[in-house]
Amino acid sequence: MAAARPTGSASGALCWQLLLTLAILTFACDACKTVTLHVPSKLDAVKYIGRVNLKECFKSANLIHSSDPDFQILEDGSVYTTNAILLSSAKRSFTILLSNTETQEEKKILVLLEQQTKVLRKRRSQEKVLIRAKRRWAPIPCSVSENSLGPFPLFLQQIQSDTAQNYTIYYSISGPGVDKEPLNLFYVERDTGNLFCTRPVDREMYPSFELVAFATTKDGYTPEYPLTLLIRIEDENDNFPIFTETTYIFNVTENCRVGTTVGQVCATDKDEPDTLHTRLMYSIIEQLPASPTLFFMQPATGVITTTSSRLDREVTDKYQLKIKVQDMDGQYFGLQTTATCIINIGDVNDNLPTFNRLSYEVSVEENRVDVEILRVAVTDKDLINTANWRANYTILKGNENGNFKIVTDPKTNEGVLCVVKPLNYEEKQEMTLQISVVNEAPNFASSRSTGSMATVTVRVKNQDEGPECRPAVQIVRIKENVPVSTKDIGYKAHDPETNSSSGIRYEKLSDPEGWVSVDENSGSITILRSLDREAKTIRNGIYNITILASDEGKRTCTGTLGIILEDVNDNGPFIPERTVIMCKTVMSSAEIVAVDPDEPTHGPPFDFSLEGVSDSEVLRMWRLTKMNDTAARLSYLNDPQFGRYTVPVRVADRLGQSLVTQLDVMLCDCVTRSDCKIPSPLRTAKGLMLGKWAVLAILLGIALLFCVLFTLVCGATGAAKKPKVFPDDLAQQNLIVSNTEAPGDDKVYSTNGFTTHTAGGFTQGICSTPGSGVKNGGQETIEMVKGGQTIESCQEAGHHHTLGSCKGGGQHTLDSCRGGQVEADNCRYAYSDWYTYTQPRLGEKVQQCNQDNSHTHAQDYVRTYNYEGKGSAAGSVGCCSERQEEDGLEFLDHLEPKFRTLAEACMKR
């Protein structure tokens, strides 16, 4: 649709084949060629239309430019369209520019090509109007200037349909700006199709409008599809650029390098992007203080940098900039806005502290400690209360003895000089100190700077002092065996004023042993008692006495007199461990060690010997063998009996000084020494001797044994009248010996008492539960033996059982189960009685058991138990005990060492 229809050029515009002329211009080879391409009138975007030969030109060219933006040329010479094109004339030409560098001349040519392109675009837009005039009902681009001044209503364009030639067409529109917000901004005349704008439009609110046009007949018929109309609002530079902040604050350190970035400012513009209306330019309008100019702002980015390294915080610590941003790329007619930028200058340690004075003089009394004598002040221009300002003071010279120290007052930054060690006027009357000062932070220019220095002269004032005890510890040497009333020089103090000891009095403050006296006027000492170097108060051979010295003014000092006691050989060596325990079953000797309290020169090596006449029993029973300089081994001879013995041993040092030590030797039947328990009295080496209390204990034991035997006999008689089952705990307080000399293959033991089954006849025993018995005439016996005598307690009539206690020994009999069953309690003895009576005899019997005439043990004799390792794959041997309960087994905790291993094996765990 269009306002008018062209007539003469219709046939040419509809031609399928048109001529397209390309002029190829190459600056490098000065060649210009014309290429003609035949193309249809309508070309789609990115469509291949032909190829040109650029090989000769590319020998020296590497850039391709096209004067017509609707076409592009690739490196191989291929020509493509960039947009959809509708050609209206029979011939269209454009130029291809090839070059290898972009010279000034080429730039001018490119400008001309751009101008030519604009002309071609304008011409194409006119051609589009003509084309639409032929097509009638087609979208026509339209635009409205922002904030237009009218007059309103403002005519925009006319829309027409080809069907208006045959029908009466009514035109209408809808969309934003019509029946949507903003309402009634556009309208169309129903009969003519003229489109109008009713008022100004703000592009920042409505950048464009998309309307829909309709063409209908009177009766509502729509001969055309709805037509989309795009109305673009042309931007006007009506918005000022605005900074993101009204005031910017940046920080930069002083003395920084040129070009250091201080900060960046930013502004925004609401106008259309990528146009001159939003192309912003930044600049600095004013600097305070104005001179010198120290900052520069990048126009395009707004970055602020330094232009000088002369920033000095001590001169100016803050700068204020007035900055501007302007659109239209900074043109004078562009809109602009200003803001403020504050730049704070940060401090660096570029100023050293300096003393206000280069020399100081001060005086102090001697012997004063922890006193402040001087304050020194410094000046530092750096920022107060920072590490660049705080001072550190150091004494460089003059304080070799450590009498002074200097510290910093954190509030005033002054150096405080103090005396920390007493000064002595008599030694030095004047001292010169050299002090320096630096900052906590390293210096900006050099980290090795020594800082400012000053000199302090300290004059020491004399003071009336008391006596001085120097040295505080004085030593004298005295032999420990010197006679009483021996004198020595003692302790000496002196007056520092006169450097003499006259007029000083001495007093003894401490003398732990009371061995000496101190002369009041001279300080000399006199021995009052015999000196003993081995006394407990002696430490490392030195005996210390504390002395108090005073002058006429009652001023005092305290010193120590150390008496080194020189050793003499006045002590014989002795054996400190007087009790020697030998477990006879596992050891045959014991080690004894001697010591000598005298010096090593009067000590080892020692000689050990037994004290006694040549034919005494000591020499027959004991033997000493030297092991080293201080120890010997004591061993017994001729297999002595268990008991306690007194063995005198003489020990002599290298100079012959000797001493006899009476050793208490205990021969025990034990495995470890802790198990040894032998009561007094001692067995001397001359023979066996029992004390009166031991004899009395034996008599009482015998009497008690007879009482027990009498009770058992009476109980056995009464048990025939009142049978009772034999208890399970028969073995609790009785030693039960079972000798089995026959194989006993079919023997079975029940858990209820002692039940024995043997091949042959079966008999019920009185001391067993019903159903159990012992084979008549067999060799199995159950006896209770006490002191080698037979206890007749439960003998069954008509049967006699025997037990041989030792091989080849006598046979003891036991009458068991006489007159039927008896009381179980009558078959039981008290454990303590049993233990007291049988223990020593059993030990002797075990030693003699299974020995031949030469006292040699038989091969099957049970040897001493040795440790054979932990655990066993066979598990427990608790089957040795058939007890159902574990009550009443406390006696197993008190067994002798020879039974302990057996008890552990048989006890149920």
Side-chain angles (χ1 to χ4, degrees), residues 111-182:
V111 171
L112 293 176
L113 289 175
E114 288 180 0
Q115 292 176 355
Q116 183 180 357
T117 301
K118 290 180 181 179
V119 173
L120 291 175
R121 285 180 178 176
K122 187 174 180 181
R123 187 177 301 169
R124 281 201 303 272
S125 64
Q126 293 174 356
E127 292 174 353
K128 288 180 182 179
V129 173
L130 295 176
I131 293 172
R132 286 195 178 93
K134 299 171 185 178
R135 296 178 62 191
R136 314 281 276 174
W137 191 252
I140 302 175
C142 181
S143 62
V144 179
S145 296
E146 180 186 14
N147 301 323
S148 175
L149 299 179
F152 296 102
L154 180 65
F155 174 77
L156 299 180
Q157 68 172 338
Q158 182 184 23
I159 56 176
Q160 284 186 351
S161 173
D162 293 339
T163 59
Q165 299 175 2
N166 303 320
Y167 304 96
T168 300
I169 299 297
Y170 294 151
Y171 301 97
S172 62
I173 58 175
S174 66
V178 181
D179 50 3
K180 296 180 181 179
E181 290 293 336

Side-chain angles (χ1 to χ4, degrees), residues 570-853:
D570 57 345
N571 293 280
F574 65 95
I575 302 172
E577 294 291 337
R578 297 178 180 269
T579 301
V580 179
I581 299 176
M582 294 186 188
C583 289
K584 193 175 178 182
T585 58
V586 296
M587 57 191 297
S588 61
S589 62
E591 181 182 346
I592 57 176
V593 180
V595 296
D596 194 335
D598 290 329
E599 287 284 341
T601 55
H602 301 146
F606 299 143
D607 289 331
F608 295 86
S609 62
L610 293 173
E611 183 69 12
V613 296
S614 59
D615 59 347
S616 67
E617 189 173 351
V618 174
L619 300 178
R620 291 196 299 271
M621 292 183 62
W622 306 100
R623 180 176 63 188
L624 274 175
T625 304
K626 187 174 181 180
M627 296 177 60
N628 52 41
D629 290 347
T630 60
R633 184 171 296 279
L634 177 64
S635 58
Y636 58 82
L637 304 173
N638 301 325
D639 193 15
Q641 297 181 1
F642 297 114
R644 305 181 69 167
Y645 299 87
T646 299
V647 181
V649 178
R650 177 178 294 277
V651 186
D653 59 21
R654 65 169 63 191
L655 299 180
Q657 184 75 9
S658 65
L659 187 65
V660 177
T661 303
Q662 300 290 335
L663 297 182
D664 181 13
V665 181
M666 301 174 64
L667 283 180
C668 297
D669 185 12
C670 59
V671 178
T672 60
R673 295 183 180 181
S674 59
D675 294 332
C676 183
K677 296 179 182 178
I678 295 181
S680 298
L682 298 175
R683 290 179 181 266
T684 63
K686 296 181 179 180
L688 180 64
M689 182 181 68
L690 296 177
K692 57 182 180 179
W693 295 108
V695 175
L696 180 59
I698 293 173
L699 294 177
L700 291 176
I702 294 173
L704 180 60
L705 179 61
F706 279 107
C707 293
V708 172
L709 292 175
F710 180 75
T711 303
L712 291 175
V713 172
C714 294
T717 304
K721 301 178 182 179
K722 192 175 183 179
K724 190 175 182 180
V725 178
F726 203 86
D728 291 339
D729 59 349
L730 175 63
Q732 178 178 349
Q733 295 179 353
N734 297 274
L735 179 62
I736 300 176
V737 182
S738 177
N739 292 338
T740 303
E741 299 181 1
D745 297 334
D746 55 349
K747 200 179 306 301
V748 178
Y749 295 93
S750 69
T751 59
N752 189 10
F754 296 92
T755 303
T756 307
H757 297 278
T758 60
F762 179 83
T763 303
Q764 178 178 333
I766 299 302
C767 293
S768 63
T769 58
S772 65
V774 182
K775 181 180 179 182
N776 295 339
Q779 296 181 356
E780 296 184 12
T781 63
I782 298 178
E783 290 187 357
M784 293 176 290
V785 182
K786 187 171 184 179
Q789 299 178 356
T790 301
I791 302 174
E792 299 178 359
S793 60
C794 299
Q795 180 177 354
E796 183 182 1
H799 299 282
H800 186 71
H801 305 273
T802 61
L803 169 68
S805 61
C806 294
K807 187 176 182 179
Q811 199 174 54
H812 303 279
T813 62
L814 170 65
D815 295 332
S816 62
C817 306
R818 179 181 303 164
Q821 294 184 349
V822 295
E823 289 280 342
D825 293 339
N826 296 333
C827 297
R828 185 183 306 161
Y829 282 100
Y831 172 76
S832 60
D833 297 336
W834 184 273
Y835 177 88
T836 304
Y837 192 84
T838 62
Q839 185 64 25
R841 290 162 178 77
L842 183 60
E844 295 175 2
K845 293 298 183 182
V846 170
Q847 293 293 329
Q848 298 174 3
C849 190
N850 289 339
Q851 292 181 359
D852 54 17
N853 296 333

Side-chain angles (χ1 to χ4, degrees), residues 259-316:
T260 301
T261 300
V262 178
Q264 183 178 15
V265 299
C266 185
T268 59
D269 196 323
K270 294 182 180 180
D271 289 325
E272 186 175 1
D274 300 325
T275 64
L276 285 176
H277 299 165
T278 55
R279 189 174 298 176
L280 307 180
M281 189 73 68
Y282 300 90
S283 61
I284 298 175
I285 301 176
E286 183 181 13
Q287 171 187 304
L288 295 175
S291 180
T293 301
L294 301 174
F295 304 99
F296 170 75
M297 178 175 285
Q298 298 289 340
T301 61
V303 175
I304 302 175
T305 58
T306 58
T307 60
S308 174
S309 60
R310 295 166 54 191
L311 288 174
D312 191 350
R313 190 205 64 84
E314 287 73 37
V315 176
T316 304

Side-chain angles (χ1 to χ4, degrees), residues 533 535-544 563-565 599:
R533 184 183 172 280
K536 294 181 179 180
T537 55
I538 302 298
R539 296 291 182 269
N540 299 323
I542 301 177
Y543 180 68
N544 292 322
I563 301 176
I564 298 179
L565 296 177
E599 287 284 341

